[in-house]
Amino acid sequence: MSEQAWPDPDGVSRATEAFRAAFDAAPEQVWASPGRVNLVGEHTDYNGGLALPIALPHRTFAAIAPRSDRTVRLVSGLDDGHRWEGTLDDIRPGGVSDWVAYCAGPAWALREDGVELSGFDLALASCVPTGAGLSSSAAVECAVALALTSLAGESTDDDAARARLAALCVRAENEVAGAPTGGMDQATSLRAKAGHALLLDCRDDSVEHVALDLEAAGLALLVVDTRVHHSLADGQYGRRRTTCETAAARLGVTQLGDLDSIDTENGRQTALARLDGEEARRARHVLTEIARVREVVDAARAQDWTRMGTAMDASHESLRVDYEVSCVELDVAVEAARAAGALGARMTGGGFGGSAIALVPLDLTEQVAGAVTAAARERGLREPAFHVAVPSASGERVA
Ligand code: ADP
Ligand code: MG
C-alpha cells in the first residue's frame, strides 16, 4: 500500500551507480538528506510563527567528488540522465534553471557566504516524491549543501552549523531557483532528530525536539499524496505572503507572528479587529495556527492523541476557510480519512494539491487508505499514493 523509503545502502548504491555511469569514476563521499511532512503549523514559517514538522525516512542521496578545476558536472534521476556541465561562475541567480537550479543553488549560496569551493562532480538519486508537498526540493538542496560543506573541510556537525546551512539553502531556493520558500523545509531536513518532531520557532530560528513515538501508541501518520498540483495556483503562495506582509504593516508589526506575543486572547482579537476581509482571515489563520502548534506539542507530551487529532482537524478547517489553500482532492481525502476512523486529518504543505496527513490507529491504516482511494474514485479524482511517515533523522554522511 505505501511507497517505501530506500534503506541507506540502496540509496548509496543508486547514487554511486549514477555517478559511475555519468563520470566513469567513483564518488568520494555520499550524503543523504530527507524530505519532510508537517504535523501542524502551516504557512506560519514566513510569518515568524511556529511549525512542527517531522523528517521523513525518504531521502535524497548525493554522491560527490571534488575537481581540481572550476568545472561543475551534475546528473539527477529527474532528467532522463541528462548531464549538466558548467562552471562555478555559471551558478548564480539567472544563470541556471529547473532542476539544475535546485541542485547547484547551494554552491552559489555557500560561496556568497565565504566558503571556498572547487569544481565538483555530483550525482543524485532520490526516493522523495517530487511536487507532492513533501519537500523534495529541500532534500536536494540540503544533501548538496552538506556534501559541499564537507568537501570544503568545514564541519556540519553542530546545530549552529546546520542552522546556517538551512538559511543558505533557503537563500539558494529563493534567489537561484526563484521559489519563495519559507524555511521550515530546510530546517527539518538539516535539524530534525529521529523519533521526534521538530518544534521550530521561525522568529528566532530556535528549535526544540519533541518526542513522538506514534508506533508505541498504536498509531501511524498516514500521508496521502493526492498526485495533483493545481498549477493555476502557482502565484498563490507569493500572494499569501504579500497579504500577510501588508496585514502586518497595517498593524505596525514586522511579521504577523509578532502578534502572538500579545498575552491575552482579548488583546489578539482587538488587534485582528483592525483588519478587514481577506487580510483579517489570513491573519486569523496565522494566529490560530500558531496556537494549534502549541496544542499539538502539549498533546504529544501528554500522549493525548484525541486532542492531537482535534487540533489537526481544526488546522484543516482554518486552511480551507481562512487561508483558502485547500482544494477538492485534499478535502475529499481528509473527510474520507476521518470517516474511516482517523483521529484527525489535515492538508499539509503549501496546498492546492500535494499531500494530506491522517493520524490513524495502526490496525485501521489499510482501511483508511482504502476509504480514501474509494472516495477519490467516486468523485472522479486521481487515485492517491500513500506513505507512512515515521519521524526520521536529518541529513548525514552515509558513505
Ligand atoms: P516539493 O519540494 O514539494 O517536492 P517543489 O516544487 O518545491 O516541490 O520542488 C520540486 C522541484 O525540485 C523539482 O521540480 C525539481 O526541479 C527539484 N528536484 C526535486 N527532486 C530533485 C532531484 N532528485 N534532482 C533534481 N532536482 C530535484
Ligand atoms: Mg519544495
Side-chain angles (χ1 to χ4, degrees):
M1 179 261 311
S2 72
E3 287 178 15
Q4 294 295 320
W6 298 340
D8 281 348
D10 280 13
V12 169
S13 67
R14 286 178 200 248
T16 303
E17 269 315 299
F19 191 98
R20 271 187 212 288
F23 310 123
D24 201 23
E28 189 177 292
Q29 302 184 8
V30 184
W31 288 75
S33 213
R36 63 97 190 95
V37 71
N38 191 17
L39 210 48
V40 71
E42 215 66 74
H43 288 279
T44 50
D45 58 353
Y46 55 83
N47 282 304
L50 302 174
L52 192 67
I54 63 171
L56 290 172
H58 301 73
R59 295 174 145 199
T60 295
F61 294 81
I64 197 164
R67 299 175 56 90
S68 52
D69 57 15
R70 296 176 64 76
T71 299
V72 175
R73 299 188 297 175
L74 307 171
V75 286
S76 146
L78 273 196
D79 196 19
D80 289 333
H82 174 78
R83 188 168 100 182
W84 181 84
E85 193 165 331
T87 69
L88 281 174
D89 304 304
D90 295 328
I91 301 168
R92 58 186 151 71
V96 282
S97 58
D98 298 323
W99 66 274
V100 178
Y102 288 90
C103 293
W108 171 80
L110 283 163
R111 291 179 66 215
E112 284 282 298
D113 205 48
V115 179
E116 294 264 348
L117 296 181
S118 66
F120 57 93
D121 290 335
L122 175 87
L124 293 174
S126 180
C127 65
V128 185
T130 26
L134 302 177
S135 200
S136 67
S137 58
V140 169
E141 293 148 14
C142 296
V144 172
L146 286 167
L148 288 173
T149 306
S150 169
L151 287 190
E154 294 195 14
S155 166
T156 62
D157 290 345
D158 57 61
D159 187 63
R162 297 287 176 120
R164 170 190 176 225
L165 279 189
L168 292 177
C169 288
V170 172
R171 196 167 170 213
E173 184 159 339
N174 289 169
E175 296 184 40
V176 183
T181 174
M184 166 178 57
D185 306 353
Q186 294 80 1
T188 316
S189 196
L190 290 167
R191 302 172 78 189
K193 192 164 137 186
H196 293 74
L198 184 77
L199 174 58
L200 175 65
D201 186 335
C202 300
R203 205 159 14 165
D204 59 6
D205 215 22
S206 63
V207 296
E208 215 178 302
H209 300 282
V210 179
L212 187 69
D213 190 347
L214 293 174
E215 210 179 327
L219 295 168
L221 190 65
L222 183 68
V223 180
V224 183
D225 173 4
T226 63
R227 297 168 69 223
V228 298
H229 170 74
H230 296 289
S231 54
L232 266 182
D234 273 353
Q236 297 284 358
Y237 184 92
R239 239 186 280 169
R240 294 297 180 284
R241 284 188 76 143
T242 308
T243 305
C244 288
E245 281 161 20
T246 315
R250 204 180 301 287
L251 297 177
V253 292
T254 316
Q255 304 178 97
L256 285 176
D258 294 349
L259 299 175
D260 183 60
S261 58
I262 302 175
D263 53 6
T264 62
E265 177 60 27
N266 224 349
R268 286 193 291 270
Q269 289 303 334
T270 308
L272 284 182
R274 292 166 53 205
L275 299 171
D276 303 310
E278 195 173 283
E279 281 180 16
R281 280 181 284 123
R282 305 296 188 248
R284 185 166 59 199
H285 166 73
V286 173
L287 286 194
T288 57
E289 187 75 356
I290 292 170
R292 281 186 290 270
V293 173
R294 290 204 184 89
E295 174 76 4
V296 170
V297 169
D298 289 347
R301 290 189 170 135
Q303 310 225 348
D304 185 341
W305 312 110
T306 307
R307 189 172 159 202
M308 184 180 288
T310 304
M312 289 168 69
D313 288 345
S315 170
H316 186 80
E317 279 315 287
S318 179
L319 287 157
R320 188 175 71 80
V321 178
D322 277 348
Y323 221 66
E324 295 180 277
V325 290
S326 191
C327 60
V328 61
E329 290 85 356
L330 289 166
D331 293 342
V332 165
V334 159
E335 278 161 31
R338 287 179 196 147
L343 301 182
R346 58 181 289 270
M347 56 156 281
T348 185
F352 303 109
S355 296
I357 49 172
L359 185 64
V360 296
L362 269 176
D363 55 348
L364 290 183
T365 314
E366 296 283 336
Q367 192 171 313
V368 169
V372 170
T373 303
R377 240 182 242 151
E378 197 176 303
R379 299 287 297 267
L381 305 173
R382 229 178 141 184
E383 218 165 278
F386 297 94
H387 313 274
V388 173
V390 178
S392 300
S394 58
E396 61 192 332
R397 187 170 174 183
V398 286

